[in-house]
Each structure stands twice: as C-alpha cells, then as structure tokens.
Amino acid sequence: MPPSLRFALTPGEPAGIGPDLCLLLARERQAHPLICIASTALMKERSVQLGLSINLIRTDPGDWPAQPAPAGSLYVWDTPLARPVKTGQLDQANAAYVLQTLTRAGQGCLDGNFAGLITAPVHKGIINEAGIAFSGHTEFLAELTQTEQVVMMLATRGLRVALVTTHLPLKDVASAITSERLERVTRILHTDLRDKFAIAAPRILVCGLNPHAGEGGHLGREEIDIIEPALQRLRDEGMNLIGPLPADTLFTPKHLEHCDAVLAMYHDQGLPVLKYKGFGAAVNVTLGLPIIRTSVDHGTALDLAGTGRIDCGSLQVALETAYEMAQSSLTPKSARP
C-alpha cells in the first residue's frame, strides 16, 4: 500500500475513553498517516490527565501529511467542542461535535482524502437526549453515504461473524428474517469478503434460526420455508454457502477450520461466541458501505476515562483491519488466491 494513503480516526464520545485510546496509540508510530478528527484542546487536556507527552500536530484539508506521524505524535484535524469536557461526565452540548467529527471523516472518505475510517465508541443516549435522532455509527454512515443496506460484522483473529438482524427484540427476529433480507445480506457479505478482504471464493457457514436448525420442521419451519430456499438460489449464483447448520455445533473447530465467515440470524446467536474468543481484540466492520469503516468492539467506559487503566487492543485491531481492507481493495482480482 502506498505510504501516502491516509486514514481518519474519530475519538467518539469526548467524555469517554475514545480520546485516551487515540493518545495511547500515538505512543507508537503507525504504519500509515492517521488523522485524528477531534478537539485539539480536548486532546491536550486528556494527554495531561494521562501523564503522556504527545506532540499534537495540526493538519487541515489541503495540507494532509504524506508520512505517518513519528512515535509520540498525533496528527489532529481540529474540530472545536461546544463546551469544555469534564472527563467521565456526559454533556448534551457536545452531541453535535461528535456528529461533526463523523461527518468530516465519512465525507473525507467519499472525497478520496482518506482510505478508511476507524471509529472509537460514541454514546447514543446522550446524542438522542440532545434532540438528535441517532441510532448508531452504522446507520449514520449509511445515510451519509446514501447506502440502502449495510451489514454488521464483528471479527477477531480466526473468526468473522456477520448478522442478518442486529438490534431487535428477540420476539421480532423470526418475522424479520425474510428471503429478501437474507439474500441481500448474504450478497453484501460475499461481495465485501471478496472485494475488501481479497478472498476470491468466500466460504460462508450459515446458522439456522431455530434450535437444531428446526430439526426437520419439528422445532420451527423457517429453515425449510425461508432459509434453505434462499441459500439455494444464492448457491445457483455461484456462492459457497454451507447450512443452515445448528448454531450450537456450528461454532466448533470441525466447522470453522476452513470457514471465511459465519452468518448468524440474530445478534446474540453469533456475537457471544466471538466476544468470548476475542473480546478486547475484536473489531466491528460495517459491510456494504462505499467506504471502509472499522470500529472497536466496546463502549465508552466513562468510569475509566482519564485513568489510563484501559487496553488499546481493540482499537489497534480496528486500525490493522482497516489497513488490510484498504490494501485488499487495491489488489487486482486476478492476483488474488
């Protein structure tokens, strides 16, 4: 990957651990230029709180750096706060600031200024309390990029799990799993594994919805009536799809050994396994966007902000994943294994 490719980094909720994570990572030189879109005043203050000596290097559109910042330095595109931050205390006044950092980062990706976007956690509740309708990074970026359908995928070393449905009450999951939705999500997963992860022929394991994948219809007919017919139509298009398989046995070495991704039907079917395997070293990837976006797998941890008692593992994996995805996007399909 050419060293001139830049990446955007947003610290998320200013009262949480996002700014801390960015500063702690700045102790080491990154592989590529990384632009932190944040309040310079906030980053200075938090650096003092953490007892870090980080050189904040101002950068602006038209003056982007071509080389990574030296160890102990961080490029910052200054984005002013509405009100000074009290570490660990949410403030509605700064909700618009959080969204401005995301807008700058996302639009910068669309404009070709950044090869990808890495996000630290936001606090959805305080943004909504400020009177701004906001359901999360994924939906915000989908609207910004005018993307109709996106897919949530979490990944850690050795396992990727994508979701057909995300944040729904369990009672609503079955009705949300339609043939149309399943086919759309699977196509996005297959396409991005190929185009953004350089996997020429992705092998995807698909969970059933019901216990024992419905056990021949005795424990539910969704597998027979919806899931299997949809998967067969996609197989006819050339996709390598295995399933529907019982979720309680799918997540075993026998099945996962040669798998590129697992497609789970709902949030708590697939993510507990992934987080058990790699919590603190996992990454949230938004598939289906015209840009690359990765994120940490944890929340704002307001009680830990400013203490230094945090682990940068998830943000480091998010950075590395974004770098790899950008590299894969540049790799000609003919050169892929």
Side-chain angles (χ1 to χ4, degrees):
M1 186 190 304
S4 59
L5 285 186
R6 295 172 298 272
F7 293 82
L9 173 63
T10 57
E13 168 52 49
I17 62 170
D20 308 43
L21 292 170
C22 299
L23 291 163
L24 289 168
L25 281 175
R27 294 176 298 178
E28 305 292 333
R29 185 180 187 269
Q30 286 296 318
H32 303 283
L34 187 64
I35 312 301
C36 183
I37 303 175
S39 161
T40 303
L42 166 67
M43 302 304 284
K44 283 181 179 177
E45 183 177 331
R46 195 64 59 86
S47 181
V48 171
Q49 278 186 278
L50 294 169
L52 298 175
S53 180
I54 302 296
N55 180 29
L56 302 176
I57 305 171
R58 178 165 181 156
T59 185
D60 296 289
D63 188 31
W64 299 124
Q67 298 297 327
S73 301
L74 181 66
Y75 293 122
V76 179
W77 180 3
D78 186 39
T79 306
L81 291 157
R83 192 150 57 198
V85 170
K86 293 182 179 179
T87 305
Q89 297 183 31
L90 298 171
D91 187 343
Q92 296 179 17
N94 288 321
Y97 157 83
V98 174
L99 299 187
Q100 186 181 9
T101 65
L102 289 175
T103 300
R104 283 183 164 186
Q107 191 61 50
C109 290
L110 290 173
D111 293 342
N113 292 319
F114 305 124
L117 162 61
I118 302 96
T119 60
V122 297
H123 194 287
K124 293 189 282 289
I126 198 66
I127 297 174
N128 282 285
E129 288 175 21
I132 304 171
F134 180 81
S135 53
H137 277 115
T138 301
E139 293 80 6
F140 182 86
L141 292 171
E143 183 176 353
L144 179 69
T145 60
Q146 298 182 4
T147 303
E148 184 176 342
Q149 176 73 49
V150 293
V151 174
M152 177 179 176
M153 182 177 81
L154 266 72
T156 191
R157 290 175 180 87
L159 180 62
R160 302 183 185 98
V161 178
L163 304 176
V164 177
T165 64
T166 52
H167 301 117
L168 287 179
L170 192 56
K171 66 181 179 62
D172 297 334
V173 169
S175 60
I177 297 175
T178 62
S179 297
E180 179 185 16
R181 184 176 196 150
L182 179 56
E183 290 182 36
R184 188 168 62 240
V185 167
T186 307
R187 286 194 180 97
I188 291 171
L189 173 59
H190 182 272
T191 297
D192 274 13
L193 287 173
R194 185 189 62 202
D195 295 346
K196 293 180 180 176
F197 289 87
I199 302 170
R203 184 176 187 268
I204 300 170
L205 303 186
V206 182
C207 296
L209 171 65
N210 297 295
H212 303 176
E215 204 163 273
H218 295 288
L219 296 176
R221 291 193 55 85
E222 284 83 1
E223 287 77 11
I224 295 171
D225 296 339
I226 298 172
I227 299 174
E228 177 55 40
L231 296 185
Q232 188 55 52
R233 285 191 290 272
L234 295 170
R235 290 188 191 104
D236 292 342
E237 297 176 9
M239 295 187 198
N240 187 357
L241 306 173
I242 299 89
L245 299 173
D248 64 341
T249 54
L250 181 153
F251 290 99
T252 56
K254 170 187 172 182
H255 291 292
L256 295 178
E257 186 175 2
H258 302 293
C259 158
D260 295 304
V262 172
L263 183 60
M265 291 296 127
Y266 57 95
H267 187 280
D268 281 14
Q269 182 182 58
L271 297 193
V273 179
L274 184 134
K275 293 194 175 186
Y276 175 77
K277 178 177 173 62
F279 189 74
V283 56
N284 187 338
V285 183
T286 305
L287 305 179
L289 293 172
I291 64 175
I292 290 170
R293 180 259 170 164
T294 65
S295 184
V296 296
D297 69 343
H298 56 73
T300 55
L302 296 168
D303 58 322
L304 296 178
T307 68
R309 301 194 307 270
I310 57 174
D311 188 336
C312 299
S314 182
L315 185 56
Q316 185 62 56
V317 174
L319 286 167
E320 293 170 0
T321 302
Y323 298 159
E324 291 167 6
M325 291 172 69
Q327 176 68 73
S328 296
S329 297
L330 295 175
T331 302
K333 292 183 175 62
S334 59
R336 297 178 183 179

